[in-house]
Amino acid sequence: KTVKANGGKFGLLVDETTDMSCLEQVSVAVQTVDINYEIEEYLLRLVSTNRMDAESLFHIIKDVLIQCMLPLEDCRGQGHDGAATMSGVQERVKQRNYSAPFSHCLMHSTDLGINDVLSSSTLMKKFLDVVGTIINFVRDSPKRVNQLRDIDIAFNESEENWEDDVLSSRKP
């Protein structure tokens, strides 16, 4: 799909994460506003990398924007998490385009706030520790991951069958 930026301007969203296979991933997305003032968001690329320093991430962003024919000069804002590396990225963007102010990503701000609230509750902290331990236990074994996947597939199939049964039992 072609990115249709109204007036050619866009907001830049970048996040870095580690996937289940311990591969570093960088997502590069843009937000635009269409002629009806509706916000549209486009994931441009998900890039695997083994270098997570600010300079490397900035080069990834530049390369993705070039591939998508989106000039960095048309960026009118940038949203990232508050990590030190991303602070270095946003400074590099600002050096090349002063019209791209940084805004802390709302979802990361919300996540930080929720984590603060949850960590203040001893019961919730223990609950989340147990859930984290279970997740790590399953994730550390390919066999357990596959068993969980099989359970999920079976559950979804039985749920679909249940929905079919309910829908077919309705009278027109």
Side-chain angles (χ1 to χ4, degrees):
K1 187 172 181 180
T2 304
V3 176
K4 296 173 277 186
N6 188 19
K9 309 306 181 206
F10 61 90
L12 178 65
L13 304 170
V14 181
D15 196 13
E16 77 280 359
T17 189
T18 304
D19 70 12
M20 284 178 47
S21 64
C22 295
L23 207 75
E24 297 282 357
Q25 301 276 332
V26 178
S27 63
V28 181
V30 294
Q31 284 187 333
T32 64
V33 178
D34 68 15
I35 59 173
N36 297 317
Y37 302 104
E38 297 289 327
I39 296 174
E40 296 181 338
E41 189 168 311
Y42 300 91
L43 174 63
L44 301 178
R45 297 278 190 282
L46 191 58
V47 181
S48 297
T49 183
N50 56 3
R51 305 217 29 192
M52 296 300 284
D53 59 284
E55 190 64 30
S56 298
L57 293 177
F58 178 69
H59 283 293
I60 288 171
I61 294 165
K62 277 191 348 185
D63 290 346
V64 169
L65 292 176
I66 289 168
Q67 292 167 9
C68 295
M69 294 183 286
L70 293 168
L72 185 58
E73 296 76 30
D74 288 342
C75 180
R76 289 300 178 260
Q78 50 179 321
H80 317 290
D81 62 18
T85 300
M86 294 311 291
S87 294
V89 170
Q90 63 110 349
E91 284 301 317
R92 283 167 174 76
V93 171
K94 283 282 286 178
Q95 287 171 359
R96 285 152 184 88
N97 179 356
Y98 68 91
S99 297
F102 167 74
S103 176
H104 194 99
C105 177
L106 177 61
M107 293 309 294
H108 284 99
S109 298
T110 304
D111 183 54
L112 292 172
I114 290 170
N115 282 327
D116 282 348
V117 169
L118 292 177
S119 66
S120 66
S121 165
T122 306
L123 181 61
M124 285 306 297
K125 186 166 176 19
K126 287 180 183 178
F127 171 76
L128 293 174
D129 287 346
V130 169
V131 169
T133 301
I134 292 169
I135 288 170
N136 289 335
F137 175 75
V138 172
R139 194 177 8 193
D140 287 345
S141 164
K143 182 178 180 180
R144 290 189 289 262
V145 169
N146 287 326
Q147 288 172 332
L148 183 61
R149 194 172 290 130
D150 291 343
I151 291 168
D152 183 50
I153 290 169
F155 176 78
N156 285 331
E157 286 174 356
S158 68
E159 190 175 76
E160 288 171 12
N161 292 338
W162 178 83
E163 288 173 1
D164 291 341
D165 291 343
V166 169
L167 293 174
S168 66
S169 68
R170 290 186 181 167
K171 296 185 179 177

